[in-house]
Amino acid sequence: MRTAQPALRVPAGDPLAGERYEVEVGPVAHGGGHCVARHEGRVLFVRHALPGERVIAQVTEGTTKSRFLRADAVEILTPSKDRIAAPCPFAGPGKCGGCDWQHVTPGGQRKLKGQVLTEQLAKLAGLTPVEAGWDGSVEPVGGKLPAGEVPRWRSRVQYAVDQESGRIGLRKHRSHDIQLVDQCLIAAEGVAELNLEARDWTGLASVEIIASSGSSDRQLILTPVPGEQLPLVELERPVSIARIDEQDNFHQVHGRTFVRERAAGRTWRVSNGGFWQIHPEAPDTLVDAVIEGLDPQWGEDALDLYCGVGLFAGALADRVGDDGAVLGIESNKQAVIDARHNLAALENVRIECDKVETLLPRTGITATDLVVLDPPRAGAGRETVQHLAGLEPRRIAYVACDPAALARDLGFFRENGYRPVSLRAFDLFPMTHHFECVAILEPAAK
């Protein structure tokens, strides 16, 4: 018996891709590295533009019936003072989608990110920067570079393989198409030194490289094209090699199953390509901000939610001491195994494996002194926030990689009697629209 195939959804209206409009560029928008412009009453989300510029925008997506159009600025008529020539030859309209702001000065990038955070706080939390305890700045991380030089911060890069040439590249914006590259300017030195772009990767769908910033460990994770054999890989430097099968299972081929990272005074094992902050200075930067904001005291109890391999739990355990206790909750089984290994010497730490929203109500915990939560991009959500507020912690540290999710959850905390007393934003993803925040909350009555 044949089942009916779902009909392909065809956008209504006549396609407008390729149409060009002269527009005045408005404010930066959240997500995607684009700014808002309008043409004959219709909204355009324009990439490769800057607020205040006058540009020729070429439509990349949308029809005559679309609520909004997507476009690229293909000609700059009146440039912003923050505009520079993109250092990367693969950045620009129709090219690599990995970077959003190659055409912007470092200070201009941080200004744009600050404008996004300000807008999201107002829109979703009803907070001004002053009410959020934020000075309005996005802090640079790492030393100052000579003009025109790009920070090499990306210690993990996933390349796609062009099936015709066997060469690797990066995906174009909102596309499966591949931009072949001979180097990625933001790739960390440990990635760049392997010169993966010069090799033939025929038979593979993707090549992911992890270069530890805390050791000499390198891990190559290869995904073969279905039905193809894994090729023999020989590189000039020692590299562990793993394979991802058609069910997304991880298989070690050669070397270690993990890389060793160094942060917060400890060595951390991160296995099977698991999560670790990509910017080499991010772990220490975030730990310092969290610990400074919480000011943990000897003997206090703490929760580390979405704890990963235990980074914040370890820092908390050192401060609360033997008379205190830290409970970490993480849903990824391998991360839990790593966290237990990494913190095995600390008797005041316990790591449990489950979803936070599932396990937290079952722990029997009715009160705690401190909370760290570093949720996924979607945020913690109303129910988890409500539960945490009910535990009446003295302080909460919220680590956020998405300003919209942060603002939404700050609004939930506000409904439940907690207010931000400080907020810091860090430029841990230069050249992209991403950044990281740490908010410290206290009971509003205090």
Side-chain angles (χ1 to χ4, degrees):
M1 176 179 176
R2 291 187 177 182
T3 56
Q5 296 297 311
L8 292 176
R9 187 171 178 271
V10 179
D14 298 324
L16 291 175
E19 291 292 318
R20 294 189 173 200
Y21 308 122
E22 183 175 328
V23 295
E24 191 85 31
V25 180
V28 63
H30 168 56
H34 50 248
C35 297
V36 178
R38 294 180 185 275
H39 178 73
E40 297 180 350
R42 178 176 285 150
V43 170
L44 279 73
F45 291 123
V46 186
R47 280 174 58 83
H48 313 292
L50 287 172
E53 292 186 328
R54 191 154 196 87
V55 306
I56 301 298
Q58 180 170 306
V59 177
T60 55
E61 292 181 47
T63 73
T64 52
K65 298 289 188 180
S66 299
R67 290 187 300 109
F68 62 86
L69 305 175
R70 297 186 184 275
D72 285 337
V74 294
E75 187 178 341
I76 313 302
L77 304 177
T78 308
S80 163
K81 62 181 177 59
D82 289 324
R83 177 174 287 277
I84 58 173
C88 177
F90 307 111
K95 298 182 182 179
C96 174
C99 290
D100 307 297
W101 303 123
Q102 284 271 349
H103 59 285
V104 191
T105 64
Q109 293 180 42
R110 295 193 296 274
K111 184 168 64 177
L112 291 169
K113 296 177 186 188
Q115 290 168 359
V116 167
L117 181 54
T118 299
E119 191 261 346
Q120 294 299 304
L121 287 172
K123 178 181 176 182
L124 298 175
L127 294 170
T128 66
V130 172
E131 290 170 332
W134 176 44
D135 66 5
S137 71
V138 176
E139 302 174 39
V141 177
K144 190 171 183 178
L145 296 172
E149 191 169 323
V150 174
R152 287 191 168 277
W153 58 269
R154 195 174 186 94
S155 61
R156 180 173 187 158
V157 183
Q158 184 172 27
Y159 297 95
V161 180
D162 177 64
Q163 297 305 307
E164 291 185 8
S165 65
R167 291 182 56 201
I168 58 173
L170 299 162
R171 299 286 184 190
K172 297 180 180 181
H173 181 63
R174 292 177 59 84
S175 172
H176 292 293
D177 294 342
I178 299 171
Q179 170 67 61
L180 298 179
V181 298
D182 53 29
Q183 66 169 322
C184 173
L185 288 189
I186 63 172
E189 293 290 350
V191 172
E193 68 186 9
L194 296 177
N195 198 23
L196 301 180
E197 296 89 348
R199 291 186 55 89
D200 183 346
W201 299 97
T202 298
L204 296 177
S206 70
V207 174
E208 183 171 10
I209 178 64
I210 300 171
S212 166
S213 53
S215 70
S216 60
D217 293 349
R218 306 286 181 266
Q219 187 175 51
L220 201 60
I221 303 175
L222 308 177
T223 304
V225 172
E228 293 285 346
Q229 296 296 313
L230 197 69
L232 178 66
V233 178
E234 294 181 351
L235 299 174
E236 295 179 0
R237 297 179 183 269
V239 177
S240 297
I241 297 175
R243 173 178 63 88
I244 303 296
D245 66 20
E246 294 181 31
Q247 285 73 45
D248 286 333
N249 296 313
F250 183 99
H251 302 276
Q252 196 61 17
V253 176
H254 169 75
R256 294 188 178 99
T257 59
F258 58 86
V259 296
R260 295 164 297 177
E261 299 285 356
R262 186 76 187 169
R266 284 190 173 83
T267 297
W268 305 87
R269 187 181 77 181
V270 184
S271 298
N272 296 4
F275 175 78
W276 184 258
Q277 289 286 345
I278 297 175
H279 193 299
E281 297 186 45
D284 281 324
T285 297
L286 297 175
V287 166
D288 290 347
V290 165
I291 296 302
E292 179 183 339
L294 291 179
D295 189 24
Q297 302 297 307
W298 189 272
E300 288 191 313
D301 293 334
L303 294 173
D304 181 10
L305 307 181
Y306 318 93
C307 71
V309 299
L311 179 65
F312 296 115
L316 288 167
D318 291 337
R319 293 292 293 270
V320 303
D322 295 339
D323 293 338
V326 179
L327 171 64
I329 300 177
E330 169 58 48
S331 62
N332 183 279
K333 293 180 181 179
Q334 185 58 57
V336 168
I337 293 170
D338 283 343
R340 290 170 176 167
H341 168 86
N342 293 332
L343 304 175
L346 300 175
E347 296 183 359
N348 59 345
V349 177
R350 189 170 93 251
I351 307 294
E352 296 294 344
C353 184
D354 208 333
K355 293 181 178 179
V356 168
E357 60 270 25
T358 301
L359 181 60
L360 190 59
R362 298 206 310 256
T363 60
I365 295 172
T366 57
T368 192
D369 299 299
L370 303 171
V371 174
V372 177
L373 63 158
D374 184 5
R377 187 166 297 278
R382 187 188 296 272
E383 290 187 10
T384 296
V385 166
Q386 187 172 13
H387 189 98
L388 291 175
L391 301 180
E392 300 183 348
R394 175 174 66 81
R395 283 183 184 167
I396 298 170
Y398 189 123
V399 182
C401 62
D402 183 87
L406 169 66
R408 194 160 38 247
D409 283 346
L410 288 182
F412 297 151
F413 273 114
R414 194 179 189 180
E415 294 171 0
N416 287 277
Y418 276 77
R419 65 185 178 97
V421 293
S422 77
L423 173 62
R424 297 175 69 185
F426 301 98
D427 191 16
L428 294 174
F429 310 92
M431 303 294 163
T432 80
H433 72 273
H434 300 287
F435 57 101
E436 203 90 10
C437 295
V438 176
I440 304 298
L441 297 97
E442 289 183 351
K446 183 176 177 180

